[in-house]
Amino acid sequence: MNKKLEQYILDHSTPEDPVLEDLFRQTHIQFVNPNMVTGHLQGKLLEFISRMVNPEMILEIGTFTGYSAICLAKGLKSGGKLFTIEINDELREFSSSFFQRAGFENTIVQITGKAQDVIPGMDSRFDLVYIDGDKREYTEYYNIIIRKTRPGGFIIVDNILWGEKVLDNNTKDPQTLGIIEFNEMIKNMDDIEKVMLPVRDGIMLIRKTA
Ligand SMILES: C[S@@+](CC[C@H](N)C(=O)[O-])C[C@H]1O[C@@H](n2cnc3c(N)ncnc32)[C@H](O)[C@@H]1O
């Protein structure tokens, strides 16, 4: 996005929470691939959606350093829980320290493991699910989480435009192919409602209707 326009948007949005600002900064100092972290605008949008849905149970695939988990947890009903799954066990201590700083140490439940192995064994039904793991696995995640989403529940999916690479019909890039496969699957499903938002790298909102 045009830098001037981005600054205008930031100037007219609520400023970033200081804990999230530090999380973002520390992620850039301490980790490789810091660009995976959710930024302020998308984080604020996630927070707004969560506050509007006011869920009791949230599931997240792909914690990374914990930015989106904190944003989503802000909208939980009192006593609600957010389960976040991360395959990389080296990230746990860092994200846990920020969950504590944000006051969510008893609200956010961290699970270390592969989402596809963990979720089938979970008893809970979720009001809101956020998919932000490995782009090659989106279709797999969806087919697992849809059974765990309550009717009327919402699913938010990140990176569904993948830097506009979804428009390249000749791509051989596995991540782009993963996103294209996912988007086509969703397009052809009629037991859900969906809308794509051109925010950051593209966000899909899905509502399970039945
Ligand atoms: C784009 S990052 C998530 C960013 C995060 N939501 C945030 O707000 O900063 C994707 C994360 O998904 C994790 N991941 C990849 N495959 C996974 C899987 N099968 N199960 C759980 N986590 C996975 C990666 O290790 C990585 O940390």
Side-chain angles (χ1 to χ4, degrees), residues 36 38 60-62 68 130-135 138 141 158-159:
M36 291 204 297
T38 298
E60 174 181 63
I61 300 178
S68 50
Y130 182 50
I131 298 180
D132 192 15
D134 186 325
K135 312 310 155 197
Y138 270 25
Y141 300 152
D158 195 22
N159 304 108

Side-chain angles (χ1 to χ4, degrees), residues 36-38 62-64 68 86-87 113 115-116 132-134 137 141:
M36 291 204 297
V37 70
T38 298
T63 318
F64 188 44
S68 50
E86 172 54 57
I87 202 165
Q116 301 92 312
D132 192 15
D134 186 325
E137 300 174 347
Y141 300 152

Side-chain angles (χ1 to χ4, degrees), residues 6 20 37 61 84 88 90 98 108 141 155-156 161 178 198 207:
E6 189 176 351
L20 289 172
V37 70
I61 300 178
T84 181
N88 180 356
E90 291 174 8
F98 275 92
I108 298 179
Y141 300 152
I155 300 156
I156 308 173
L161 298 178
R207 189 172 78 89

Side-chain angles (χ1 to χ4, degrees), residues 23-24 27 33-39 42-43 46 60-72 84-89 91 111-119 130-138 140-141 158-159 162 200:
L23 194 167
F24 189 84
T27 298
N33 296 328
N35 57 323
M36 291 204 297
V37 70
T38 298
Q42 184 170 337
L46 293 177
E60 174 181 63
I61 300 178
T63 318
F64 188 44
T65 52
Y67 197 108
S68 50
I70 292 175
C71 297
L72 290 165
T84 181
I85 310 174
E86 172 54 57
I87 202 165
N88 180 356
D89 60 1
L91 296 164
I111 302 172
T112 303
K114 186 173 175 181
Q116 301 92 312
D117 297 339
V118 172
I119 299 169
Y130 182 50
I131 298 180
D132 192 15
D134 186 325
K135 312 310 155 197
R136 293 165 295 191
E137 300 174 347
Y138 270 25
E140 272 181 74
Y141 300 152
D158 195 22
N159 304 108
W162 203 231
R200 203 169 166 236

